[in-house]
Amino acid sequence: MDRLLIEGGRPLFGRVAVSGAKNAALPIMAATLLVDGPVRLERVPQLGDVATMEALLAQLGVTLHRPTDDSLELLNTDTSRRRAAYRLVRRMRASVCVLGPLVARRGRGVVPLPGGCRLGDRPIDLHLRGLVALGAEIRIDRGLIVATARRLRGARIHLEGPRGPTVTGTANLLCAASLARGVTLLSGAASEPEIVDLGRFLNACGARIAGLGTREIEIQGVSQLGGACWQLIPDRIEAATLLLAGLITRGVVTVDRCVPSDLAAVLEALATLGAGVRTGPDFVTVDGRFAQRPGSFAAAPHPGLPTDVQPQLAACLAAIPGRSAIQDTVFPERFGHVAELNRFGAQLCRRGDTTLIEGTHALEAAPVVAPDLRAGASLVLAGLAARGATVVHKVLHVDRGYERFAEKLAALGASVERRGQMATAWSPSPRLPG
Ligand code: UD1
């Protein structure tokens, strides 16, 4: 069984570098389906989800090659493949990112519906409505999305749902509109840094996209995209998790190779809790040795506090005596970590879309099960702070989104030991053809 053994109660000290962003890697890898010519991506993390996207692209006729540990070359070699395999799509919701590129470049995309997940109901109605507005014909046939189009055409599309903008929906439509005839205006679009990175990558390939980082994006369609070399942005969720590891263990941790401005809401939360926070051009230091106080927070779309940090922040609040609260309006069902965190001796309970927390200074080690990626990370943080030997089972969930997590924590002085196989293995081609 895959599990992490943690001997907790040791403050973490030192410097650690973050990897490239998972949530930039996935849509950018999918976007290479649009491109004629070779693409080289730098700073690609070796993660479970990246391995799934590699396998999915290979199944769709892309040849992939890893010239170094953190770079990836991709080339479309068989454009007749247009059907994404269920065995891969079911592993990861972000597989839906291939839909827009397939229909825009190959005229047809058949992608299994992603289905529900542990964060609750996650519809893709906004993706589909946007593609229909661009002229795609869409039908759902026995759980498969079948999207077809001769050449998409530009349109005005409002992308905001009741819970705010959709991130992967914006990615799908950015990709599709890049090859559409005419101009597309996306309003209510996601402004997350990973979407900006995707748009800049597409522009490097010859797309014409303006307004990235705002809620209004304009795309002037082009007839073809060419290859490019692109370095992915750093993973701000990994950076936030490592900073929170410094806070919860009451240590001093410097996170290198990050973009502090992308972490503004997280740094504000750290300061509210009483941590010392210092930023430089590409690093952040958190000092958790000061007295900590409880607080109330709400996860929201960018530039708000990321929902992907909500469970890890909840773990930190569980380790601070007093009453705290954390609301999640983006995924109001994101509570997989609550029952497991209670095993450490804190008291957390759910009220609607909010977790109420009665924290304690004396978390105690416990056996727990990671229910999903970020909930798993929150349990690792609690284990680092809790006195005694914690076992986090099903740590494969954590491999999906954190590169060499145990190694990085150990380098900061944590006592962590990984048991079982890692979920990051996928065998790329020895080289690209041609
Ligand atoms: C992406 C991220 C995920 C993050 C989430 C929110 C990737 C690969 N994944 O997921 O890590 O937690 O953004 O920041 O980047 N919604 C609709 N209709 C739709 C689409 C979404 O109602 O068609 C709702 C969802 O149920 C949710 C909210 O909108 O409540 C935001 O979801 P969305 O931004 O689409 O999340 P993902 O793109 O799947």
Side-chain angles (χ1 to χ4, degrees):
M1 274 288 285
D2 59 296
R3 59 195 191 276
L4 196 66
L5 314 182
I6 306 172
E7 191 64 44
R10 301 180 178 197
L12 301 192
F13 287 99
R15 305 186 81 101
V16 59
V18 290
S19 303
K22 167 180 92 73
N23 286 354
L26 299 176
I28 289 176
M29 289 169 70
T32 62
L33 288 165
L34 295 164
V35 177
D36 294 323
V39 167
R40 183 179 170 117
L41 302 178
E42 303 285 355
R43 219 175 164 182
V44 181
Q46 296 205 25
L47 301 169
D49 277 7
V50 168
T52 300
M53 185 58 85
E54 286 176 290
L56 182 58
L57 292 176
Q59 181 256 313
L60 288 168
V62 178
T63 302
L64 300 102
H65 166 58
R66 266 198 187 261
T68 64
D69 277 356
D70 69 349
S71 61
L72 187 63
E73 291 177 349
L74 307 99
L75 179 69
N76 284 287
T77 41
D78 180 358
T79 53
S80 66
R81 310 228 198 135
R82 296 179 293 192
R83 186 180 182 133
Y86 177 69
R87 75 187 153 80
L88 297 170
V89 172
R90 75 184 164 87
R91 283 198 215 155
M92 177 179 78
R93 289 188 55 83
S95 304
V96 76
C97 288
V98 301
L99 182 64
L102 281 178
V103 69
R105 181 64 187 86
R106 301 189 182 176
R108 182 178 165 89
V110 182
V111 178
L113 277 167
C117 77
R118 288 181 182 272
L119 309 190
D121 197 18
R122 287 175 79 177
I124 53 160
D125 54 311
L126 298 165
H127 304 228
L128 302 186
R129 260 197 270 154
L131 290 172
V132 167
L134 292 174
E137 243 177 63
I138 295 197
R139 66 191 164 82
I140 309 285
D141 183 13
R142 283 167 294 172
L144 294 177
I145 310 160
V146 183
T148 44
R150 291 178 79 100
R151 169 109 195 250
L152 298 173
R153 50 170 196 275
R156 280 176 180 271
I157 301 168
H158 187 66
L159 258 182
E160 191 150 354
R163 309 243 163 84
T166 162
V167 176
T168 48
T170 303
N172 251 327
L173 294 171
L174 265 187
C175 288
S178 290
L179 285 186
R181 193 189 303 278
V183 177
T184 297
L185 289 171
L186 297 181
S187 59
S191 62
E192 269 66 4
E194 295 75 17
I195 291 295
V196 176
D197 206 36
L198 167 66
R200 288 187 178 152
F201 162 72
L202 289 169
N203 282 344
C205 296
R208 301 182 64 189
I209 303 172
L212 291 165
T214 74
R215 291 283 157 88
E216 312 277 325
I217 302 180
E218 182 179 316
I219 304 131
Q220 294 189 22
V222 297
S223 54
Q224 204 181 26
L225 295 174
C229 183
W230 192 252
Q231 177 165 298
L232 301 175
I233 56 169
D235 196 309
R236 64 195 167 102
I237 308 301
E238 186 200 6
T241 306
L242 292 166
L243 290 169
L244 290 168
L247 177 91
I248 199 170
T249 61
R250 294 171 160 77
V252 185
V253 169
T254 297
V255 170
D256 284 317
R257 296 193 74 194
C258 66
V259 179
S261 57
D262 287 346
L263 288 161
V266 172
L267 303 187
E268 200 181 307
L270 287 166
T272 303
L273 295 176
V277 177
R278 201 162 58 84
T279 59
D282 66 348
F283 70 85
V284 177
T285 301
V286 65
D287 188 339
R289 292 172 300 178
F290 303 106
Q292 296 180 6
R293 43 184 184 262
S296 287
F297 302 92
H302 192 73
L305 186 73
T307 171
D308 285 349
V309 173
Q310 185 258 111
Q312 302 89 311
L313 183 58
C316 293
L317 298 174
I320 299 174
R323 278 194 189 165
S324 291
I326 182 161
Q327 186 190 24
D328 194 334
T329 56
V330 180
F331 290 121
E333 304 291 325
R334 189 170 209 164
F335 290 107
H337 51 290
V338 167
E340 295 300 298
L341 282 177
N342 279 334
R343 298 186 198 279
F344 292 94
Q347 289 177 42
L348 295 88
C349 71
R350 177 187 169 175
R351 285 280 178 283
D353 61 4
T354 301
T355 307
L356 303 177
I357 301 164
E358 187 68 51
T360 167
H361 200 34
L363 292 182
E364 280 171 31
V368 287
V369 180
D372 62 66
L373 165 57
R374 305 301 171 187
S378 94
L379 300 175
V380 174
L381 294 191
L384 291 173
R387 242 169 249 285
T390 285
V391 184
V392 182
H393 295 277
K394 292 211 176 168
V395 78
L396 281 174
H397 285 297
V398 180
D399 299 339
R400 285 185 45 204
Y402 291 89
E403 189 178 45
R404 294 183 278 109
F405 196 35
E407 250 177 71
K408 290 188 183 187
L409 292 171
L412 293 170
S415 167
V416 286
E417 199 186 320
R418 171 68 207 233
R419 294 274 171 86
Q421 235 196 333
M422 303 282 284
T424 51
W426 184 81
S427 309
S429 306
R431 70 188 66 84
L432 287 193

